[in-house]
């Protein structure tokens, strides 16, 4: 593996000599599977890298989507001011460039074109934990966010003991996406400027995290390649021993089961909403009695 990485980085370095602005390139792992896992929803897995893909000068421009202070009030400026203060207090204003309340998302970014523009306006999206399930499994962000791999990551904006550390953990991680739509996974793993040792550390970290979450585990990994833009894929691992019959996946989700489970998710969200509305009604009743 060391020799393959060394030769690959040498190839990239020689190619960069002809480029006007030579920058560090991201190198990804292409993991080929024996069997495609049948998943109900896309799974996003964060893998913390020993050697991050970003430096202080190259942190991604980030948009934070937050819940509304007052759902009935059409003015969302109060919400923006509140969360901008939280961001500033946690010294994240150099990373989080925009705070967007859910109301603003609903009012200004309903059409397809506006959602597509929003998805290309920022490198990374974060969402308050109270909104994450609605945004990730719902249709508020649309197909463009999934297509461009811009679905938001979950953060506990108000409840976190160290918000900056939580955000930095996301920035210093790579994303493993299990979609169940094909036999190949593409995972950004290291940079062309990393040493061979750093590259191997990142590869081992990604492989270990993938094995934890991949249906079928390590036995479901058929081969691994390293790949970069405009460069050939170089094999670093090939499983010639595993028999397909030995790869055991959890019971595959049939279309009927997937439909049923999606209905259950919608039902659960509606139930949670009803409970919250009841709690708010009780609180309002208590306040009215105190005022009276």
């Amino acid at each position: 593996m060391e020799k393959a990485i060394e030769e690959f980085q040498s190839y990239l370095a020689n190619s960069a000599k002809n480029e006007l602005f030579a920058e560090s390139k991201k190198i990804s792992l292409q993991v080929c599977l024996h069997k495609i896992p049948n998943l109900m929803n896309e799974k996003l897995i964060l893998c913390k890298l020993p050697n991050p893909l970003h430096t202080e000068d190259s942190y991604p421009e980030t948009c934070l989507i937050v819940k509304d202070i007052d759902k009935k009030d059409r003015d969302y400026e109060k919400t923006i001011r509140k969360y901008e203060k939280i961001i500033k207090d946690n010294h994240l204003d150099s990373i989080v460039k925009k705070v967007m309340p859910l109301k603003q998302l609903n009012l200004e970014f309903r059409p397809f074109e506006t959602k597509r523009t929003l998805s290309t306006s920022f490198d990374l999206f974060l969402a308050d934990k109270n909104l994450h399930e609605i945004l990730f499994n719902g249709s508020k962000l649309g197909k463009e966010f999934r297509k461009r791999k811009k679905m938001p990551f979950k953060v506990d904006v108000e409840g976190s003991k160290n918000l900056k550390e939580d955000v930095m953990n996301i920035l210093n991680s790579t994303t493993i996406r299990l979609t169940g739509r094909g036999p190949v996974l593409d995972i950004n793993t290291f940079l062309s400027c990393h040493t061979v040792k750093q590259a191997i550390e990142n590869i081992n970290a990604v492989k270990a995290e993938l094995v934890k979450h991949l249906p079928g585990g390590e036995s479901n990994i058929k081969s691994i390649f390293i790949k970069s833009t405009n460069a050939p894929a170089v094999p670093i691992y090939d499983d010639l021993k595993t028999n397909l019959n030995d790869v055991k996946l959890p019971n595959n989700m049939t279309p009927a089961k997937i439909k049923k489970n999606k209905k259950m998710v919608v039902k659960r969200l509606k139930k949670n909403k009803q409970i919250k509305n009841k709690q708010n009604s009780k609180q309002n009743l208590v306040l009215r009695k105190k005022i009276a």
Side-chain angles (χ1 to χ4, degrees), residues 1-10 226 234-236:
M1 183 164 71
E2 287 182 27
K3 186 68 177 172
I5 293 168
E6 196 175 322
E7 290 293 331
F8 190 75
Q9 287 184 322
S10 176
I226 51 175
V234 176
I236 58 170

Side-chain angles (χ1 to χ4, degrees), residues 34 218-221 237 239-247:
H34 284 291
E218 191 170 2
S219 63
N220 197 17
I221 298 175
Y237 171 81
D239 179 18
L240 301 172
K241 297 177 183 178
T242 303
N243 189 316
L244 270 178
N245 295 327
D246 296 333
V247 181

Side-chain angles (χ1 to χ4, degrees), residues 87-136:
I87 293 301
K88 195 171 182 180
D89 291 345
N90 283 276
H91 309 291
L92 286 167
D93 42 326
S94 62
I95 296 168
V96 178
K97 300 296 183 183
K98 185 171 180 62
V99 171
M100 182 176 293
L102 185 62
K103 192 168 274 119
Q104 184 182 4
L105 182 67
N106 289 336
L107 291 173
E108 297 180 13
F109 296 95
R110 278 189 179 181
F112 169 78
E113 287 296 328
T114 57
K115 285 178 182 175
R116 184 167 65 180
T117 303
L118 178 62
S119 70
T120 57
S121 299
F122 298 93
D123 302 313
L124 180 73
F125 288 85
L126 303 174
D128 186 79
K129 69 168 190 174
N130 297 302
L131 303 176
H132 187 260
E133 190 172 354
I134 299 167
L135 294 172
F136 196 82

Side-chain angles (χ1 to χ4, degrees), residues 165-179:
E165 187 179 322
D166 292 347
V167 172
M168 294 310 294
N169 281 339
I170 293 171
L171 295 180
N172 294 332
S173 300
T174 192
T175 310
I176 301 170
R177 288 179 170 82
L178 294 178
T179 62

Side-chain angles (χ1 to χ4, degrees), residues 5 18 25 37 92 105 111 138 142-143 147 158 167 233 258 266:
I5 293 168
N18 301 321
K25 291 184 178 178
L92 286 167
L105 182 67
K143 290 188 293 184
K147 182 180 167 185
E158 294 184 84
V167 172
I258 291 172
V266 172

